[in-house]
Amino acid sequence: MLETMGWISLVPITIAIILALVTKNTVFSLIVACIVGVYLSGGQMRFTNLLLSALGNEDFIWVALNIILFGVLVAYYEKSGAIDGFTRIMNAKNLKRKGVQVVAWILGIFCFADSMSPLFVGSVMRKLSDRTKISREKLAYIADSTAAPVSVLYPFTGWSSYLFGLAVGVGCIEDRTQAFSLMLKAIPLNLYAILSVLMVLLISLGVFKDFGPMRLAEERLGRESELVADESVQMPEADEIKRVPMKERVFLNFVLPSFLLLGISIGCFFIMGSVKVLEAVTIVVILMSISFLCQGMKLQELNKTFVDGIKDAIPALLVLAVAYPLNLLSSQMGTANFIINVTSEILSPKVLPAGIFCICAIISFATGTSWGTFAIAMPLALPMAFNASGNKVDFLVISCFAAVAGGGVFGDHCSPVSDTTIMASMGADVDHIEHVKTQLPYAVTVATVTMIVYLVIGFLLG
C-alpha cells in the first residue's frame, strides 16, 4: 500500500474548490485550503516552509519566468499595434462568430507552448471575440482546450518526451526508441485529448449547441451585451497600453515573432531532444526589443512597455503562487496514493484502460498537475497492462498508455488549481471560477465518452 493520510488528504482540495465556488475568490480559497491542510498534517510542514518548498524551486521559477516573458510578448504585440492590425485584417474578411471561434481554434492548434498557449491565444483573440459577441468564458474554453490536449498529441513536445521517458525499462520496453514507438502507437488512442480538440471545433462551428453554464454565459451576452457576468471577478489588469506612432507592420511585429517562437521550440526538440519554450520566448522578446528600437521606439518607451507586460502577468503569478503550495501539500499528504489504493484492487484486465483513465483523471483534477499524475500512474499502470498482455506491446498496453496520458490531461485541462486553466482565464480576461464552471461540463462529457470507449475496448480485448 502506498503511503497516504487517507480521506483526510482530500480535505484541502475539497475546501479550495467549495470556497472558490462560494466566494469567487481563488487566491483566498487556496490560501485557506493550504492553512487547513498544514493543520491537518500535524503541522509537520508550517505554512512558511510550505511556501518556501513550493516556490523556491526550479519548476516554479521556470513557469514564473515563462509567464512574465509571455506577458511582455503580448504587451509588445499590443504596443506596436500588431494585435489591432491582426484584428483589422480579420475584420476585413467579415468573419462572424463561427469564423472567429474557428480562427481561435486554429491558433491554439499551432501554438502549443505548454501552459503559455492559452495566454497567447486568449490575448490575441480577445478583441475579435469581443467584437463578434463571443463570451469571455467561451474564448477561455477554446484557448484552454487547444493547450494541454494538443501538447500531449504532438510527438515533438516536452509532454510527449516526458511520457515515453516514463515507459523506459517497464515490461519489454528496453530503451527510448521502443518507448517512443509505444507513444506514437498510443496517440490515436488518446481519446480524451482528441475528442477535446474535436469538440471545440464542433462547438465553434455550431454542430454541437452550447449547454450548461456556457449556454447561460452566451445567452447573457446576447441578452445583456455583457462580456462577463456582473458578479464575476476578473483578473486585475495593468493600465491600458497606449500605442506609439509606429508604422503598422503586422508581419514584422506579430506573424514573424510568432512563427519564430514556434520554429525555435520545434527546432530545439529535433536538435536537443526537448522543446525549449523559455529559451524561445526569451530570444523572441530580445529580438523584438531590438526591432522596436530600430523602428524608432525610444528606450524609455520600450522599458515602460516591458514593465507593463510584467504587471499584466502578476495576477496569474499570484494565483499560481498559492496553487503550487496546495499541489505540494496534496503530494505530501498522499492524495494521489490514496486514490490509487482505493481503486487499484478492483481493476481487472477488462476494465483496465477505463479504470486507469478514471483514476488519472481524478488524480490530475485533485492535484492540478498532469506531469505529476504521469509520474505517479505510469509506473503502476504499465506493469499491470504488461502483466495482462503476457509482456507484449499489444493493443491493451497501448490503450493503457494512452489512458494515462488522457487522464492526466483532464486535470490540467479543467482543474481550478492547474496552471493551464489559470493561464486561460488570464488570456481571456475572465473570472477564473467562471471559466472552470463553464468548461467543466464539456470536459466531463468528453471524459465520459472516453471512459465508455475504453470500457468497450477492454471488454473486446478481454
Side-chain angles (χ1 to χ4, degrees), residues 142-433:
I142 296 173
D144 203 350
S145 299
T146 51
V150 170
S151 295
V152 81
L153 290 175
Y154 288 138
F156 45 77
T157 65
W159 293 62
S160 297
S161 299
Y162 184 69
L163 273 169
F164 73 72
L166 292 172
V168 176
V170 181
C172 61
I173 305 297
E174 298 178 356
D175 52 41
R176 291 179 64 85
T177 301
Q178 294 177 344
F180 183 73
S181 176
L182 171 61
M183 184 208 63
L184 289 179
K185 294 175 182 176
I187 288 176
L189 287 174
N190 193 342
L191 302 177
Y192 179 79
I194 293 173
L195 293 178
S196 292
V197 175
L198 181 60
M199 186 170 182
V200 175
L201 178 61
L202 296 177
I203 289 283
S204 299
L205 292 172
V207 177
F208 290 166
K209 301 298 180 182
D210 289 308
F211 59 90
M214 186 71 78
R215 179 177 63 82
L216 298 178
E218 293 288 279
E219 289 178 351
R220 178 204 69 228
L221 182 57
R223 182 177 62 253
E224 304 171 6
S225 298
E226 293 184 358
L227 294 168
V228 294
D230 288 334
E231 67 276 10
S232 66
V233 181
Q234 291 173 260
M235 292 276 191
E237 293 184 294
D239 295 334
E240 183 180 354
I241 299 174
K242 297 180 180 179
R243 284 193 58 191
V244 291
M246 294 172 60
K247 183 178 179 181
E248 190 175 281
R249 297 180 173 94
V250 175
F251 178 79
L252 178 63
N253 295 328
F254 176 67
V255 177
L256 183 60
S258 298
F259 275 101
L260 190 61
L261 177 66
L262 190 64
I264 294 174
S265 299
I266 297 177
C268 286
F269 173 81
F270 288 109
I271 296 173
M272 306 175 67
S274 62
V275 179
K276 302 294 184 180
V277 178
L278 179 59
E279 289 79 356
V281 70
T282 301
I283 292 173
V284 171
V285 167
I286 291 173
L287 291 178
M288 286 191 73
S289 299
I290 297 172
S291 175
F292 279 3
L293 293 174
C294 292
Q295 293 177 63
M297 180 182 287
K298 294 182 179 179
L299 183 60
Q300 184 179 3
E301 193 71 26
L302 179 67
N303 178 64
K304 184 179 182 302
T305 305
F306 190 94
V307 173
D308 285 341
I310 296 176
K311 288 180 181 178
D312 277 337
I314 288 176
L317 280 175
L318 181 59
V319 177
L320 281 176
V322 286
Y324 265 62
L326 182 59
N327 293 342
L328 177 61
L329 188 62
S330 295
S331 175
Q332 296 287 338
M333 297 177 72
T335 303
N337 292 345
F338 170 69
I339 295 170
I340 291 174
N341 288 341
V342 170
T343 56
S344 60
E345 295 181 0
I346 62 175
L347 294 181
S348 66
K350 288 185 178 181
V351 300
L352 199 55
I356 288 173
F357 172 80
C358 184
I359 292 170
C360 291
I362 294 172
I363 292 174
S364 61
F365 186 84
T367 61
T369 167
S370 53
W371 286 39
T373 302
F374 298 154
I376 293 168
M378 192 68 80
L380 296 172
L382 278 186
M384 288 192 291
F386 276 116
N387 182 60
S389 69
N391 202 33
K392 298 178 181 178
V393 179
D394 62 4
F395 201 74
L396 178 63
V397 171
I398 297 171
S399 299
C400 290
F401 185 97
V404 173
V409 165
F410 174 83
D412 199 280
H413 179 205
C414 60
S415 172
V417 294
S418 163
D419 55 354
T420 309
T421 313
I422 295 168
M423 291 300 100
S425 301
M426 180 183 177
D429 188 23
V430 67
D431 179 90
H432 180 56
I433 299 304

